[in-house]
Amino acid sequence: MLPGRVRHVLLWSHRWLGLLGGIVVVLIGLTGSFIVFYREIDVVLNPALYAAAGPEQRITLSEVMRAAAAADPAPIATILAPDRTWPVWIVIHAHEIATGRYPNRWTTMVDPSNGKVLGRRDYANAFALKVYRLHYTLLLYEWWGKELVGVVGFILLGLTLSGLILWWPRADRFWRSVSVRTNVSLFRFVFDVHRAAGFWALLALLVISITGAGIIFPGVVRPVIGLLSQPTTDPSPRIETPPSAGTPQLAADTIVRIAQAAKPGVAIAILNPPTATRNTWRVQFRPEGADPAVRSRGAIWLDPWSGAVVHDRTPGTMSMADRYLAEQLWLHNGAAFGLGGRLLVFAAGFAPLVLFVSGLLMWLKKRPGRIRTS
């Protein structure tokens, strides 16, 4: 049992942290539930963009890039290979934008069976992607929105840990402390809902808050992870002495063949052509048959002139710390554990709403201090 004064301070902190930060935590939770399935939702909302003429993948990557370039001449930043959820090639173009503004990305959808352009759109402002931005930046990208979301992750972590300490029951009262009784007063019912919801969502909220804060503030997480396994800097390798001007680069199809030969048994998921700051190809992979929500697991960087592997950052070459940092997003959205994990995170996204409303009702009654919690 906590000393009375310590418990009072912890309860006061828990209550006011929840009341003052609760609205934003609820917003992040609800949008988080949405984006667990944002790709599936996007398909439902925009079926024509994903309606391939057939399941066959007859066209090559070079043909995809030519079709996309004809539709949008802006530089190609990323190419998403077809998968079960998005069964078309998705080419993301980087349009110019003022420094500090949210990246201006447009997508071109290309039918893998015939090379037909199925449509173009403003990627960042499509509905499902805008909800994703709301979750990730509160639509305040230019005003430290991403960092604010990271702080909210720490708030959620503080609420979860303080709630766990305040909840901790005697061994003989455990089941009573995680269940909801109906033959009690309204206030006691709300109190039971608050305790039970916090307990059953505890593990998911801990994982979500820790990984969410870690995604936004990797510099905070790296020293902690480093206590167990040494992480390395995520590279963006360059060819420091490229061939003389005019030397032709390898065709995109050749890069695909080299990458697939270098990593047999896994599927190419994402490709990033060379850019001004990174003059190498980056090819990201996903295990065959893996849930498409796991967008990639590992990558290699290739010399665009020779096809040599410049850097290998696939699971077999990474330290445990590097693997954790690379998997944070898939832990955060539950995809690391398949559909079951995603459904769990989806449900956990509603827990902050239940906890905030029940906590607010208790505060409005001004009775928490007089309630016996045993």
Side-chain angles (χ1 to χ4, degrees):
M1 289 290 291
L2 291 173
R5 184 171 181 81
V6 173
R7 182 178 179 81
H8 176 76
V9 171
L10 189 61
L11 180 61
W12 183 91
S13 302
H14 181 81
R15 180 185 302 145
W16 286 102
L17 191 62
L19 289 170
L20 296 177
I23 292 293
V24 182
V25 173
V26 169
L27 177 63
I28 298 299
L30 294 178
T31 53
S33 289
F34 178 94
I35 65 174
V36 166
F37 294 101
Y38 85 97
R39 299 177 76 226
E40 290 85 350
I41 293 170
D42 192 47
V43 172
V44 172
L45 295 177
N46 304 279
L49 294 177
Y50 300 99
E56 304 86 0
Q57 296 197 22
R58 294 173 175 160
I59 63 170
T60 65
L61 179 61
S62 294
E63 291 171 324
V64 170
M65 295 177 70
R66 281 196 294 270
D72 186 343
I76 294 174
T78 304
I79 305 164
L80 308 181
D83 58 41
R84 294 197 308 269
T85 308
W86 284 349
V88 299
W89 287 96
I90 300 177
V91 181
I92 303 178
H93 305 263
H95 288 252
E96 291 186 7
I97 198 166
T99 303
R101 301 295 300 276
Y102 195 85
N104 184 11
R105 298 287 190 259
W106 282 70
T107 54
T108 302
M109 279 68 168
V110 180
D111 189 325
S113 65
N114 57 24
K116 177 183 176 182
V117 172
L118 297 171
R120 292 181 58 244
R121 67 171 175 180
D122 182 346
Y123 183 70
N125 290 307
F127 175 74
L129 283 303
K130 198 153 191 173
V131 176
Y132 197 107
R133 286 175 54 204
L134 177 61
H135 179 79
Y136 186 50
T137 70
L138 296 175
L139 301 183
L140 298 173
Y141 182 83
E142 296 86 356
W143 295 279
W144 301 89
K146 185 174 74 170
E147 289 74 13
L148 178 57
V149 171
V151 171
V152 171
F154 285 116
I155 291 175
L156 178 58
L157 179 61
L159 287 168
T160 304
L161 292 175
S162 60
L164 173 63
I165 296 170
L166 290 167
W167 162 85
W168 200 269
R170 297 204 315 251
D172 59 343
R173 302 292 181 91
F174 173 77
W175 287 112
R176 177 175 168 180
S177 69
V178 299
S179 58
V180 178
R181 292 164 292 171
T182 56
N183 58 339
V184 293
S185 67
L186 176 61
F187 183 84
R188 173 59 72 174
F189 174 78
V190 172
F191 182 79
D192 284 354
V193 167
H194 191 80
R195 276 199 312 186
F199 171 79
W200 292 111
L202 173 68
L203 182 59
L205 291 180
L206 280 174
V207 172
I208 290 168
S209 59
I210 292 170
T211 54
I215 290 167
I216 293 175
F217 298 121
V220 175
V221 174
R222 284 179 181 274
V224 178
I225 301 300
L227 296 176
L228 301 175
S229 175
Q230 190 59 43
T232 56
T233 302
D234 194 6
S236 185
R238 288 180 51 83
I239 306 300
E240 296 301 334
T241 54
S244 58
T247 302
Q249 295 188 358
L250 297 175
D253 300 331
T254 303
I255 293 294
V256 168
R257 285 195 296 271
I258 293 172
Q260 201 66 81
K263 298 294 174 181
V266 292
I268 292 176
I270 304 173
L271 301 106
N272 302 101
T275 65
T277 57
R278 173 188 43 78
N279 61 1
T280 52
W281 275 89
R282 181 172 69 163
V283 182
Q284 301 179 63
F285 302 94
R286 178 175 54 243
E288 291 280 6
D291 189 330
V294 178
R295 303 300 299 277
S296 67
R297 271 198 168 124
I300 59 174
W301 285 257
L302 300 174
D303 184 322
W305 293 280
S306 70
V309 176
V310 177
H311 186 77
D312 187 333
R313 198 176 178 84
T314 50
T317 67
M318 292 191 289
S319 68
M320 289 300 296
D322 290 333
R323 291 195 64 178
Y324 170 78
L325 292 171
E327 293 280 323
Q328 277 189 113
L329 180 56
W330 319 134
L331 292 169
H332 186 70
N333 66 13
F337 305 103
L339 180 59
R342 295 170 71 197
L343 289 171
L344 177 61
V345 171
F346 174 82
F350 291 89
L353 175 62
V354 174
L355 292 166
F356 177 74
V357 171
S358 58
L360 180 62
L361 289 174
M362 290 190 293
W363 177 74
L364 290 174
K365 287 286 187 179
K366 300 183 183 299
R367 294 180 57 189
R370 301 205 297 271
I371 287 292
R372 293 178 60 196
T373 59
S374 61

PDB file of all heavy atoms in Angstrom, residues 33-65:
ATOM      1  N   SER A  33      -7.006   4.272 -33.909  1.00  0.00           N
ATOM      2  CA  SER A  33      -7.864   3.137 -34.268  1.00  0.00           C
ATOM      3  C   SER A  33      -8.209   3.167 -35.751  1.00  0.00           C
ATOM      4  O   SER A  33      -8.206   2.140 -36.424  1.00  0.00           O
ATOM      5  CB  SER A  33      -9.155   3.174 -33.428  1.00  0.00           C
ATOM      6  OG  SER A  33      -8.896   2.849 -32.088  1.00  0.00           O
ATOM      7  N   PHE A  34      -8.503   4.362 -36.261  1.00  0.00           N
ATOM      8  CA  PHE A  34      -8.858   4.508 -37.676  1.00  0.00           C
ATOM      9  C   PHE A  34      -7.708   4.067 -38.571  1.00  0.00           C
ATOM     10  O   PHE A  34      -7.905   3.280 -39.509  1.00  0.00           O
ATOM     11  CB  PHE A  34      -9.226   5.964 -37.961  1.00  0.00           C
ATOM     12  CG  PHE A  34      -9.554   6.246 -39.400  1.00  0.00           C
ATOM     13  CD1 PHE A  34     -10.864   6.205 -39.846  1.00  0.00           C
ATOM     14  CD2 PHE A  34      -8.552   6.563 -40.312  1.00  0.00           C
ATOM     15  CE1 PHE A  34     -11.174   6.458 -41.176  1.00  0.00           C
ATOM     16  CE2 PHE A  34      -8.850   6.816 -41.648  1.00  0.00           C
ATOM     17  CZ  PHE A  34     -10.164   6.762 -42.072  1.00  0.00           C
ATOM     18  N   ILE A  35      -6.506   4.546 -38.282  1.00  0.00           N
ATOM     19  CA  ILE A  35      -5.416   4.300 -39.225  1.00  0.00           C
ATOM     20  C   ILE A  35      -4.850   2.887 -39.124  1.00  0.00           C
ATOM     21  O   ILE A  35      -4.049   2.490 -39.966  1.00  0.00           O
ATOM     22  CB  ILE A  35      -4.289   5.338 -39.101  1.00  0.00           C
ATOM     23  CG1 ILE A  35      -3.595   5.246 -37.747  1.00  0.00           C
ATOM     24  CG2 ILE A  35      -4.833   6.734 -39.355  1.00  0.00           C
ATOM     25  CD1 ILE A  35      -2.379   6.158 -37.648  1.00  0.00           C
ATOM     26  N   VAL A  36      -5.248   2.119 -38.098  1.00  0.00           N
ATOM     27  CA  VAL A  36      -4.872   0.702 -38.100  1.00  0.00           C
ATOM     28  C   VAL A  36      -5.353   0.040 -39.385  1.00  0.00           C
ATOM     29  O   VAL A  36      -4.703  -0.842 -39.948  1.00  0.00           O
ATOM     30  CB  VAL A  36      -5.463  -0.013 -36.863  1.00  0.00           C
ATOM     31  CG1 VAL A  36      -5.370  -1.527 -37.023  1.00  0.00           C
ATOM     32  CG2 VAL A  36      -4.723   0.415 -35.600  1.00  0.00           C
ATOM     33  N   PHE A  37      -6.508   0.507 -39.889  1.00  0.00           N
ATOM     34  CA  PHE A  37      -7.076  -0.044 -41.118  1.00  0.00           C
ATOM     35  C   PHE A  37      -7.244   1.044 -42.184  1.00  0.00           C
ATOM     36  O   PHE A  37      -8.142   0.946 -43.019  1.00  0.00           O
ATOM     37  CB  PHE A  37      -8.432  -0.696 -40.806  1.00  0.00           C
ATOM     38  CG  PHE A  37      -8.329  -1.905 -39.916  1.00  0.00           C
ATOM     39  CD1 PHE A  37      -8.629  -1.806 -38.561  1.00  0.00           C
ATOM     40  CD2 PHE A  37      -7.906  -3.120 -40.418  1.00  0.00           C
ATOM     41  CE1 PHE A  37      -8.527  -2.908 -37.730  1.00  0.00           C
ATOM     42  CE2 PHE A  37      -7.791  -4.236 -39.591  1.00  0.00           C
ATOM     43  CZ  PHE A  37      -8.105  -4.132 -38.245  1.00  0.00           C
ATOM     44  N   TYR A  38      -6.363   2.055 -42.160  1.00  0.00           N
ATOM     45  CA  TYR A  38      -6.556   3.167 -43.096  1.00  0.00           C
ATOM     46  C   TYR A  38      -6.398   2.734 -44.546  1.00  0.00           C
ATOM     47  O   TYR A  38      -7.056   3.279 -45.443  1.00  0.00           O
ATOM     48  CB  TYR A  38      -5.610   4.321 -42.764  1.00  0.00           C
ATOM     49  CG  TYR A  38      -4.223   4.220 -43.360  1.00  0.00           C
ATOM     50  CD1 TYR A  38      -3.894   4.880 -44.537  1.00  0.00           C
ATOM     51  CD2 TYR A  38      -3.235   3.471 -42.737  1.00  0.00           C
ATOM     52  CE1 TYR A  38      -2.626   4.799 -45.082  1.00  0.00           C
ATOM     53  CE2 TYR A  38      -1.967   3.379 -43.268  1.00  0.00           C
ATOM     54  CZ  TYR A  38      -1.659   4.039 -44.444  1.00  0.00           C
ATOM     55  OH  TYR A  38      -0.407   3.942 -44.984  1.00  0.00           O
ATOM     56  N   ARG A  39      -5.558   1.749 -44.808  1.00  0.00           N
ATOM     57  CA  ARG A  39      -5.380   1.313 -46.193  1.00  0.00           C
ATOM     58  C   ARG A  39      -6.644   0.625 -46.703  1.00  0.00           C
ATOM     59  O   ARG A  39      -7.081   0.863 -47.831  1.00  0.00           O
ATOM     60  CB  ARG A  39      -4.172   0.388 -46.311  1.00  0.00           C
ATOM     61  CG  ARG A  39      -2.866   1.060 -45.888  1.00  0.00           C
ATOM     62  CD  ARG A  39      -1.699   0.090 -45.936  1.00  0.00           C
ATOM     63  NE  ARG A  39      -1.267  -0.147 -47.291  1.00  0.00           N
ATOM     64  CZ  ARG A  39      -1.013  -1.340 -47.805  1.00  0.00           C
ATOM     65  NH1 ARG A  39      -1.188  -2.427 -47.077  1.00  0.00           N
ATOM     66  NH2 ARG A  39      -0.590  -1.470 -49.046  1.00  0.00           N
ATOM     67  N   GLU A  40      -7.223  -0.227 -45.869  1.00  0.00           N
ATOM     68  CA  GLU A  40      -8.470  -0.885 -46.261  1.00  0.00           C
ATOM     69  C   GLU A  40      -9.590   0.142 -46.433  1.00  0.00           C
ATOM     70  O   GLU A  40     -10.406   0.047 -47.361  1.00  0.00           O
ATOM     71  CB  GLU A  40      -8.875  -1.921 -45.209  1.00  0.00           C
ATOM     72  CG  GLU A  40      -7.976  -3.149 -45.158  1.00  0.00           C
ATOM     73  CD  GLU A  40      -6.734  -2.982 -44.293  1.00  0.00           C
ATOM     74  OE1 GLU A  40      -6.443  -1.837 -43.869  1.00  0.00           O
ATOM     75  OE2 GLU A  40      -6.049  -3.984 -44.039  1.00  0.00           O
ATOM     76  N   ILE A  41      -9.644   1.125 -45.534  1.00  0.00           N
ATOM     77  CA  ILE A  41     -10.668   2.170 -45.625  1.00  0.00           C
ATOM     78  C   ILE A  41     -10.486   2.983 -46.899  1.00  0.00           C
ATOM     79  O   ILE A  41     -11.453   3.333 -47.586  1.00  0.00           O
ATOM     80  CB  ILE A  41     -10.614   3.069 -44.378  1.00  0.00           C
ATOM     81  CG1 ILE A  41     -11.046   2.274 -43.141  1.00  0.00           C
ATOM     82  CG2 ILE A  41     -11.499   4.308 -44.550  1.00  0.00           C
ATOM     83  CD1 ILE A  41     -10.805   2.994 -41.830  1.00  0.00           C
ATOM     84  N   ASP A  42      -9.237   3.257 -47.260  1.00  0.00           N
ATOM     85  CA  ASP A  42      -8.966   4.029 -48.465  1.00  0.00           C
ATOM     86  C   ASP A  42      -9.450   3.291 -49.711  1.00  0.00           C
ATOM     87  O   ASP A  42      -9.963   3.908 -50.648  1.00  0.00           O
ATOM     88  CB  ASP A  42      -7.466   4.314 -48.561  1.00  0.00           C
ATOM     89  CG  ASP A  42      -7.145   5.356 -49.612  1.00  0.00           C
ATOM     90  OD1 ASP A  42      -7.816   6.406 -49.636  1.00  0.00           O
ATOM     91  OD2 ASP A  42      -6.237   5.116 -50.427  1.00  0.00           O
ATOM     92  N   VAL A  43      -9.310   1.974 -49.718  1.00  0.00           N
ATOM     93  CA  VAL A  43      -9.788   1.179 -50.852  1.00  0.00           C
ATOM     94  C   VAL A  43     -11.307   1.280 -50.962  1.00  0.00           C
ATOM     95  O   VAL A  43     -11.859   1.434 -52.062  1.00  0.00           O
ATOM     96  CB  VAL A  43      -9.352  -0.296 -50.719  1.00  0.00           C
ATOM     97  CG1 VAL A  43     -10.011  -1.147 -51.792  1.00  0.00           C
ATOM     98  CG2 VAL A  43      -7.832  -0.414 -50.821  1.00  0.00           C
ATOM     99  N   VAL A  44     -12.000   1.204 -49.821  1.00  0.00           N
ATOM    100  CA  VAL A  44     -13.459   1.293 -49.827  1.00  0.00           C
ATOM    101  C   VAL A  44     -13.913   2.666 -50.313  1.00  0.00           C
ATOM    102  O   VAL A  44     -14.886   2.788 -51.077  1.00  0.00           O
ATOM    103  CB  VAL A  44     -14.016   1.007 -48.418  1.00  0.00           C
ATOM    104  CG1 VAL A  44     -15.514   1.297 -48.358  1.00  0.00           C
ATOM    105  CG2 VAL A  44     -13.748  -0.433 -48.024  1.00  0.00           C
ATOM    106  N   LEU A  45     -13.203   3.716 -49.918  1.00  0.00           N
ATOM    107  CA  LEU A  45     -13.591   5.073 -50.288  1.00  0.00           C
ATOM    108  C   LEU A  45     -13.219   5.420 -51.729  1.00  0.00           C
ATOM    109  O   LEU A  45     -13.844   6.300 -52.343  1.00  0.00           O
ATOM    110  CB  LEU A  45     -12.934   6.079 -49.335  1.00  0.00           C
ATOM    111  CG  LEU A  45     -13.372   6.016 -47.872  1.00  0.00           C
ATOM    112  CD1 LEU A  45     -12.568   7.022 -47.040  1.00  0.00           C
ATOM    113  CD2 LEU A  45     -14.862   6.299 -47.738  1.00  0.00           C
ATOM    114  N   ASN A  46     -12.206   4.752 -52.273  1.00  0.00           N
ATOM    115  CA  ASN A  46     -11.717   5.082 -53.619  1.00  0.00           C
ATOM    116  C   ASN A  46     -11.530   3.803 -54.443  1.00  0.00           C
ATOM    117  O   ASN A  46     -10.406   3.502 -54.882  1.00  0.00           O
ATOM    118  CB  ASN A  46     -10.386   5.841 -53.531  1.00  0.00           C
ATOM    119  CG  ASN A  46     -10.484   7.092 -52.689  1.00  0.00           C
ATOM    120  OD1 ASN A  46     -10.933   8.135 -53.140  1.00  0.00           O
ATOM    121  ND2 ASN A  46     -10.051   6.996 -51.436  1.00  0.00           N
ATOM    122  N   PRO A  47     -12.574   3.058 -54.676  1.00  0.00           N
ATOM    123  CA  PRO A  47     -12.419   1.746 -55.346  1.00  0.00           C
ATOM    124  C   PRO A  47     -11.839   1.846 -56.747  1.00  0.00           C
ATOM    125  O   PRO A  47     -11.107   0.946 -57.177  1.00  0.00           O
ATOM    126  CB  PRO A  47     -13.849   1.189 -55.368  1.00  0.00           C
ATOM    127  CG  PRO A  47     -14.746   2.394 -55.233  1.00  0.00           C
ATOM    128  CD  PRO A  47     -13.990   3.340 -54.358  1.00  0.00           C
ATOM    129  N   ALA A  48     -12.140   2.925 -57.477  1.00  0.00           N
ATOM    130  CA  ALA A  48     -11.658   3.026 -58.857  1.00  0.00           C
ATOM    131  C   ALA A  48     -10.137   3.106 -58.921  1.00  0.00           C
ATOM    132  O   ALA A  48      -9.528   2.658 -59.906  1.00  0.00           O
ATOM    133  CB  ALA A  48     -12.279   4.251 -59.535  1.00  0.00           C
ATOM    134  N   LEU A  49      -9.510   3.668 -57.883  1.00  0.00           N
ATOM    135  CA  LEU A  49      -8.053   3.803 -57.891  1.00  0.00           C
ATOM    136  C   LEU A  49      -7.346   2.472 -57.717  1.00  0.00           C
ATOM    137  O   LEU A  49      -6.157   2.350 -58.008  1.00  0.00           O
ATOM    138  CB  LEU A  49      -7.607   4.763 -56.790  1.00  0.00           C
ATOM    139  CG  LEU A  49      -8.028   6.228 -56.945  1.00  0.00           C
ATOM    140  CD1 LEU A  49      -7.565   7.035 -55.733  1.00  0.00           C
ATOM    141  CD2 LEU A  49      -7.462   6.822 -58.223  1.00  0.00           C
ATOM    142  N   TYR A  50      -8.066   1.475 -57.234  1.00  0.00           N
ATOM    143  CA  TYR A  50      -7.444   0.187 -56.934  1.00  0.00           C
ATOM    144  C   TYR A  50      -8.051  -0.948 -57.750  1.00  0.00           C
ATOM    145  O   TYR A  50      -7.821  -2.125 -57.448  1.00  0.00           O
ATOM    146  CB  TYR A  50      -7.586  -0.113 -55.437  1.00  0.00           C
ATOM    147  CG  TYR A  50      -6.938   0.933 -54.562  1.00  0.00           C
ATOM    148  CD1 TYR A  50      -7.684   1.940 -53.963  1.00  0.00           C
ATOM    149  CD2 TYR A  50      -5.559   0.933 -54.360  1.00  0.00           C
ATOM    150  CE1 TYR A  50      -7.087   2.908 -53.172  1.00  0.00           C
ATOM    151  CE2 TYR A  50      -4.948   1.899 -53.577  1.00  0.00           C
ATOM    152  CZ  TYR A  50      -5.724   2.884 -52.988  1.00  0.00           C
ATOM    153  OH  TYR A  50      -5.122   3.843 -52.210  1.00  0.00           O
ATOM    154  N   ALA A  51      -8.831  -0.597 -58.773  1.00  0.00           N
ATOM    155  CA  ALA A  51      -9.539  -1.603 -59.559  1.00  0.00           C
ATOM    156  C   ALA A  51      -8.685  -2.055 -60.746  1.00  0.00           C
ATOM    157  O   ALA A  51      -8.844  -1.577 -61.876  1.00  0.00           O
ATOM    158  CB  ALA A  51     -10.881  -1.049 -60.037  1.00  0.00           C
ATOM    159  N   ALA A  52      -7.749  -2.962 -60.489  1.00  0.00           N
ATOM    160  CA  ALA A  52      -6.919  -3.504 -61.563  1.00  0.00           C
ATOM    161  C   ALA A  52      -7.782  -4.355 -62.492  1.00  0.00           C
ATOM    162  O   ALA A  52      -8.739  -4.993 -62.064  1.00  0.00           O
ATOM    163  CB  ALA A  52      -5.783  -4.332 -60.983  1.00  0.00           C
ATOM    164  N   ALA A  53      -7.442  -4.355 -63.784  1.00  0.00           N
ATOM    165  CA  ALA A  53      -8.223  -5.113 -64.769  1.00  0.00           C
ATOM    166  C   ALA A  53      -8.127  -6.612 -64.526  1.00  0.00           C
ATOM    167  O   ALA A  53      -9.038  -7.370 -64.870  1.00  0.00           O
ATOM    168  CB  ALA A  53      -7.752  -4.768 -66.179  1.00  0.00           C
ATOM    169  N   GLY A  54      -7.032  -7.058 -63.939  1.00  0.00           N
ATOM    170  CA  GLY A  54      -6.847  -8.479 -63.672  1.00  0.00           C
ATOM    171  C   GLY A  54      -5.771  -8.681 -62.632  1.00  0.00           C
ATOM    172  O   GLY A  54      -5.030  -7.740 -62.291  1.00  0.00           O
ATOM    173  N   PRO A  55      -5.635  -9.891 -62.093  1.00  0.00           N
ATOM    174  CA  PRO A  55      -4.651 -10.153 -61.040  1.00  0.00           C
ATOM    175  C   PRO A  55      -3.219 -10.308 -61.543  1.00  0.00           C
ATOM    176  O   PRO A  55      -2.280 -10.298 -60.757  1.00  0.00           O
ATOM    177  CB  PRO A  55      -5.164 -11.454 -60.419  1.00  0.00           C
ATOM    178  CG  PRO A  55      -5.857 -12.155 -61.552  1.00  0.00           C
ATOM    179  CD  PRO A  55      -6.478 -11.061 -62.387  1.00  0.00           C
ATOM    180  N   GLU A  56      -3.060 -10.457 -62.854  1.00  0.00           N
ATOM    181  CA  GLU A  56      -1.718 -10.695 -63.394  1.00  0.00           C
ATOM    182  C   GLU A  56      -0.852  -9.436 -63.267  1.00  0.00           C
ATOM    183  O   GLU A  56      -1.336  -8.318 -63.403  1.00  0.00           O
ATOM    184  CB  GLU A  56      -1.789 -11.106 -64.869  1.00  0.00           C
ATOM    185  CG  GLU A  56      -2.649 -12.320 -65.143  1.00  0.00           C
ATOM    186  CD  GLU A  56      -4.113 -11.967 -65.319  1.00  0.00           C
ATOM    187  OE1 GLU A  56      -4.427 -10.758 -65.225  1.00  0.00           O
ATOM    188  OE2 GLU A  56      -4.931 -12.875 -65.522  1.00  0.00           O
ATOM    189  N   GLN A  57       0.440  -9.658 -63.023  1.00  0.00           N
ATOM    190  CA  GLN A  57       1.382  -8.548 -62.976  1.00  0.00           C
ATOM    191  C   GLN A  57       2.290  -8.678 -64.203  1.00  0.00           C
ATOM    192  O   GLN A  57       3.355  -9.279 -64.150  1.00  0.00           O
ATOM    193  CB  GLN A  57       2.171  -8.571 -61.674  1.00  0.00           C
ATOM    194  CG  GLN A  57       1.285  -8.357 -60.463  1.00  0.00           C
ATOM    195  CD  GLN A  57       2.065  -7.963 -59.224  1.00  0.00           C
ATOM    196  OE1 GLN A  57       3.180  -7.463 -59.299  1.00  0.00           O
ATOM    197  NE2 GLN A  57       1.464  -8.180 -58.076  1.00  0.00           N
ATOM    198  N   ARG A  58       1.844  -8.089 -65.287  1.00  0.00           N
ATOM    199  CA  ARG A  58       2.501  -8.274 -66.578  1.00  0.00           C
ATOM    200  C   ARG A  58       3.519  -7.192 -66.897  1.00  0.00           C
ATOM    201  O   ARG A  58       4.380  -7.387 -67.733  1.00  0.00           O
ATOM    202  CB  ARG A  58       1.434  -8.303 -67.671  1.00  0.00           C
ATOM    203  CG  ARG A  58       0.492  -9.499 -67.600  1.00  0.00           C
ATOM    204  CD  ARG A  58      -0.629  -9.369 -68.598  1.00  0.00           C
ATOM    205  NE  ARG A  58      -1.482 -10.565 -68.627  1.00  0.00           N
ATOM    206  CZ  ARG A  58      -2.702 -10.594 -69.103  1.00  0.00           C
ATOM    207  NH1 ARG A  58      -3.221  -9.498 -69.622  1.00  0.00           N
ATOM    208  NH2 ARG A  58      -3.412 -11.706 -69.085  1.00  0.00           N
ATOM    209  N   ILE A  59       3.384  -6.024 -66.304  1.00  0.00           N
ATOM    210  CA  ILE A  59       4.265  -4.924 -66.700  1.00  0.00           C
ATOM    211  C   ILE A  59       5.477  -4.848 -65.769  1.00  0.00           C
ATOM    212  O   ILE A  59       5.424  -5.268 -64.614  1.00  0.00           O
ATOM    213  CB  ILE A  59       3.518  -3.580 -66.726  1.00  0.00           C
ATOM    214  CG1 ILE A  59       3.022  -3.201 -65.337  1.00  0.00           C
ATOM    215  CG2 ILE A  59       2.355  -3.639 -67.702  1.00  0.00           C
ATOM    216  CD1 ILE A  59       2.491  -1.784 -65.260  1.00  0.00           C
ATOM    217  N   THR A  60       6.539  -4.296 -66.277  1.00  0.00           N
ATOM    218  CA  THR A  60       7.784  -4.190 -65.524  1.00  0.00           C
ATOM    219  C   THR A  60       7.828  -2.876 -64.756  1.00  0.00           C
ATOM    220  O   THR A  60       7.023  -1.961 -64.996  1.00  0.00           O
ATOM    221  CB  THR A  60       8.988  -4.250 -66.476  1.00  0.00           C
ATOM    222  OG1 THR A  60       8.950  -3.083 -67.341  1.00  0.00           O
ATOM    223  CG2 THR A  60       8.956  -5.518 -67.327  1.00  0.00           C
ATOM    224  N   LEU A  61       8.795  -2.774 -63.870  1.00  0.00           N
ATOM    225  CA  LEU A  61       8.951  -1.542 -63.091  1.00  0.00           C
ATOM    226  C   LEU A  61       9.278  -0.360 -64.001  1.00  0.00           C
ATOM    227  O   LEU A  61       8.775   0.749 -63.795  1.00  0.00           O
ATOM    228  CB  LEU A  61      10.050  -1.720 -62.035  1.00  0.00           C
ATOM    229  CG  LEU A  61      10.327  -0.483 -61.173  1.00  0.00           C
ATOM    230  CD1 LEU A  61       9.084  -0.068 -60.381  1.00  0.00           C
ATOM    231  CD2 LEU A  61      11.500  -0.735 -60.226  1.00  0.00           C
ATOM    232  N   SER A  62      10.080  -0.587 -65.027  1.00  0.00           N
ATOM    233  CA  SER A  62      10.405   0.498 -65.956  1.00  0.00           C
ATOM    234  C   SER A  62       9.148   1.020 -66.644  1.00  0.00           C
ATOM    235  O   SER A  62       8.970   2.239 -66.817  1.00  0.00           O
ATOM    236  CB  SER A  62      11.417   0.017 -67.001  1.00  0.00           C
ATOM    237  OG  SER A  62      12.659  -0.294 -66.403  1.00  0.00           O
ATOM    238  N   GLU A  63       8.256   0.109 -67.014  1.00  0.00           N
ATOM    239  CA  GLU A  63       7.006   0.526 -67.645  1.00  0.00           C
ATOM    240  C   GLU A  63       6.123   1.285 -66.655  1.00  0.00           C
ATOM    241  O   GLU A  63       5.452   2.262 -67.025  1.00  0.00           O
ATOM    242  CB  GLU A  63       6.266  -0.706 -68.183  1.00  0.00           C
ATOM    243  CG  GLU A  63       6.972  -1.358 -69.362  1.00  0.00           C
ATOM    244  CD  GLU A  63       6.359  -2.696 -69.750  1.00  0.00           C
ATOM    245  OE1 GLU A  63       5.921  -3.449 -68.843  1.00  0.00           O
ATOM    246  OE2 GLU A  63       6.302  -2.976 -70.954  1.00  0.00           O
ATOM    247  N   VAL A  64       6.123   0.860 -65.409  1.00  0.00           N
ATOM    248  CA  VAL A  64       5.363   1.575 -64.368  1.00  0.00           C
ATOM    249  C   VAL A  64       5.884   2.999 -64.237  1.00  0.00           C
ATOM    250  O   VAL A  64       5.105   3.968 -64.195  1.00  0.00           O
ATOM    251  CB  VAL A  64       5.476   0.832 -63.014  1.00  0.00           C
ATOM    252  CG1 VAL A  64       4.905   1.696 -61.881  1.00  0.00           C
ATOM    253  CG2 VAL A  64       4.762  -0.504 -63.066  1.00  0.00           C
ATOM    254  N   MET A  65       7.202   3.151 -64.175  1.00  0.00           N
ATOM    255  CA  MET A  65       7.793   4.476 -63.988  1.00  0.00           C
ATOM    256  C   MET A  65       7.532   5.366 -65.195  1.00  0.00           C
ATOM    257  O   MET A  65       7.286   6.571 -65.058  1.00  0.00           O
ATOM    258  CB  MET A  65       9.293   4.345 -63.707  1.00  0.00           C
ATOM    259  CG  MET A  65       9.586   3.638 -62.381  1.00  0.00           C
ATOM    260  SD  MET A  65      11.353   3.397 -62.061  1.00  0.00           S
ATOM    261  CE  MET A  65      11.883   5.086 -61.751  1.00  0.00           C
TER     262      MET A  65
END
